[in-house]
Amino acid sequence: MKIPPELRPTRQAGGVAGFDLALRAGTTEFFTGQPAPTWGINGSYLGPTVRVSRGDKVAMRVTNEIGEPTTLHWHGMRLPAKMDGGPHQMIAPRATWTPEWTVDQPAATSWYHPHPHERTAMHVYRGAAGLLLIDDEHTNALDLPSEYGIDDIPLIIQDKRFNDDGTLHEAAVDSGTFGFLGDEILINGTHNPSLEVTAERVRFRILNASNARVYRVGFADNRSFHVIGNDAGLLPEPVQVDRVKLSPGERAEIVVAFTAAERVVMNSLGEDHSDADSIERDEFDLLRITAAARLSPAKTLPARLSAEPAIEPRTGAQVRRFVLTGTEINDKTMDMRRIDEVVPAGAQEIWELDNTTYAHNFHIHEVAFRVLDINGAPPPAYMRGPKDTVFVPKRAKVRLAVTFGTYTDPGSPYMYHCHILRHEDQGMMGQFVIAKPGTEQQVPRTLPDAAHH
Ligand code: C2O
Ligand code: CU
Ligand code: CU
């Protein structure tokens, strides 16, 4: 299995961490001797693992060499809206976009991907995506497995369909209720991957970078393992499970124990739905794992992980309700000029998702949230950490306690949307701005035409 290379920053004057990222078109041999046209960042498929630390002043240089307009969104980053890389920050062909911000959030496994209005599904499907890992001092001191590629291993899971000549089948990306559901799995862009582990305990950072498919990740022998982190950071303590559900855009950090010379398959049991209006059930082998004859000894898993206070809803918190019907949110589809919600800086709110039809998920830019309940019941313990994306089962009600940041810019929206990319492209997205508390009523709800490309 390929491991995406780590991209360490060039250190610039004033403590600035610089990263050069070029979105490129190229070819990739998923099958030997069969070059397929693909997109990647600093390479032909996927991108490097960008590594930043809390406190870094980050300066990105993002160059668009794919031959059509796109964006690059930092999924999971708390930053000013103009730096977010959403549909308002288009990068013209051959142009370079240079967002800058200071990393101020806990350690987490985040990622980056294009976010052009109505075109995200194809841009991600062709391979433009990568990991964005945030480190912090507290987590560095925890003694978790952290040797990248050795006992701290990224797994970017994607489903694909291949044509007979080994090229990516693209026809289904923009069709059907859920859009693309593949019949083959790539991990880190590797078809039929296998991995030799050399440690008794291995941390996997799993990203579901698929267009639509939901995975329930575990092992063929049903062994248990520990979840240590959700999308936006570590859990309060490790949670033992035997399956982790991940919908598109979600991440999980897990720690798995191995014994010398054993073999095991990481697999996915898919979603157990029987209705035709939900994502079909499918089982996949994800990764064949062999343990070396001698393994480096395990560090004990720390009993306490995150040092951050849990996200608690405040009494009297503002409640916003989002009714999901087909691919509409509150009976509307995305309008680049419409501001749907105005949120005061630093707010803690409750967002209620009321799904009246088929399965979706829900991602909010800029924030971290905690899932309070799903159909009135608390979520499984392994998903009670900080998140930015949540699966919303068909006809389910999900309540989130959401913490917003403090970068105010009433003219630049952040997005919230379904991360099933076909739904996002169909307009299942809304826009919110963060405004200075007390000024919410003055914020114009319509953006000037210039913002609409
Ligand atoms: Cu991962 Cu709005 O996106
Ligand atoms: Cu995002
Ligand atoms: Cu959806």
Side-chain angles (χ1 to χ4, degrees), residues 73-76 363 365 417:
H73 165 57
W74 321 106
H75 179 135
H363 166 50
H365 289 208
H417 58 90

Side-chain angles (χ1 to χ4, degrees), residues 73 75 111 113 115 249 363 365 389 415 417 419 421 424 429:
H73 165 57
H75 179 135
W111 64 303
H113 62 79
H115 212 302
H363 166 50
H365 289 208
T389 307
M415 308 295 130
H417 58 90
H419 217 290
L421 299 181
E424 176 180 342
M429 178 148 61

Side-chain angles (χ1 to χ4, degrees), residues 232-245:
L234 293 176
L235 286 160
E237 63 241 333
V239 176
Q240 192 174 342
V241 298
D242 52 26
R243 290 282 153 193
V244 170
K245 182 149 108 178

Side-chain angles (χ1 to χ4, degrees), residues 21-354:
L21 297 171
L23 287 138
R24 292 195 186 132
T27 57
T28 303
E29 290 192 11
F30 298 110
F31 305 93
T32 312
Q34 296 194 307
T38 53
W39 288 353
I41 298 100
N42 299 358
S44 68
Y45 191 80
L46 297 177
T49 297
V50 173
R51 199 127 198 185
V52 299
S53 293
R54 190 167 195 167
D56 280 352
K57 284 185 215 158
V58 169
M60 301 286 186
R61 288 177 51 82
V62 183
T63 303
N64 175 7
E65 296 169 8
I66 60 171
E68 58 179 276
T70 191
T71 81
L72 203 60
H73 165 57
W74 321 106
H75 179 135
M77 288 302 299
R78 182 154 269 182
L79 37 56
K82 282 200 170 69
M83 311 300 168
D84 188 45
H88 292 275
Q89 286 87 43
M90 291 301 283
I91 315 171
R94 312 224 63 85
T96 298
W97 176 58
T98 56
E100 298 187 1
W101 72 93
T102 298
V103 177
D104 187 16
Q105 62 189 98
T109 298
S110 289
W111 64 303
Y112 58 88
H113 62 79
H115 212 302
H117 186 44
E118 298 171 334
R119 296 280 296 151
T120 295
M122 191 64 84
H123 287 213
V124 173
Y125 183 72
R126 286 183 182 157
L131 285 167
L132 174 47
L133 305 187
I134 304 158
D135 296 309
D136 68 20
E137 278 171 20
H138 168 77
T139 308
N140 291 347
L142 278 179
D143 216 20
L144 289 165
S146 53
E147 255 193 282
Y148 184 80
I150 307 290
D151 64 7
D152 181 358
I153 298 177
L155 301 176
I156 303 173
I157 306 179
Q158 299 178 301
D159 59 335
K160 302 287 169 189
R161 236 169 245 278
F162 291 97
N163 300 315
D164 290 342
D165 61 359
T167 59
L168 289 173
H169 178 84
E170 293 187 343
V173 171
D174 295 315
S175 65
T177 303
F178 289 101
F180 186 83
L181 288 164
D183 58 0
E184 304 257 14
I185 298 292
L186 297 180
I187 310 263
N188 301 341
T190 319
H191 184 255
N192 194 18
S194 60
L195 174 73
E196 187 189 58
V197 294
T198 56
E200 286 179 355
R201 256 186 231 278
V202 176
R203 172 192 197 172
F204 293 104
R205 299 174 187 255
I206 309 174
L207 160 66
N208 181 351
S210 306
N211 284 45
R213 188 172 293 286
V214 177
Y215 301 94
R216 282 198 308 129
V217 178
F219 293 87
D221 63 1
N222 289 317
R223 72 181 57 197
S224 63
F225 52 91
H226 286 92
V227 180
I228 60 166
N230 292 156
D231 311 323
L234 293 176
L235 286 160
E237 63 241 333
V239 176
Q240 192 174 342
V241 298
D242 52 26
R243 290 282 153 193
V244 170
K245 182 149 108 178
L246 289 175
S247 68
E250 286 186 286
R251 291 86 71 205
E253 292 188 28
I254 66 171
V255 174
V256 186
F258 294 100
T259 55
E262 70 163 335
R263 288 163 183 278
V264 66
V265 173
M266 180 185 280
N267 66 4
S268 168
L269 293 189
E271 262 297 286
D272 193 5
H273 295 303
S274 34
D275 291 46
D277 65 356
S278 52
I279 296 171
E280 75 226 54
R281 182 188 173 91
D282 267 303
E283 300 192 5
F284 291 96
D285 283 354
L286 300 175
L287 176 63
R288 284 175 293 115
I289 300 173
T290 307
R294 298 196 52 181
L295 300 177
S296 54
K299 303 167 174 175
T300 18
L301 208 49
R304 300 282 315 157
L305 296 169
S306 174
E308 305 289 317
I311 301 169
E312 294 296 346
R314 291 194 187 133
T315 38
Q318 160 128 32
V319 178
R320 294 181 206 256
R321 191 155 171 268
F322 300 87
V323 180
L324 316 181
T325 309
T327 54
E328 297 188 335
I329 302 176
N330 291 340
D331 301 318
K332 292 187 278 271
T333 55
M334 168 74 167
D335 181 337
M336 293 274 288
R337 285 158 298 187
R338 187 187 66 232
I339 301 300
D340 297 281
E341 306 293 335
V342 178
V343 175
Q348 282 221 14
E349 301 192 342
I350 293 176
W351 282 29
E352 280 185 11
L353 313 175
D354 184 354

Side-chain angles (χ1 to χ4, degrees), residues 323-329 355-360 418 423 426 428:
V323 180
L324 316 181
T325 309
T327 54
E328 297 188 335
I329 302 176
N355 185 7
T356 65
T357 52
Y358 46 82
H360 293 290
C418 179
H423 295 174
Q426 284 177 312
M428 194 169 189

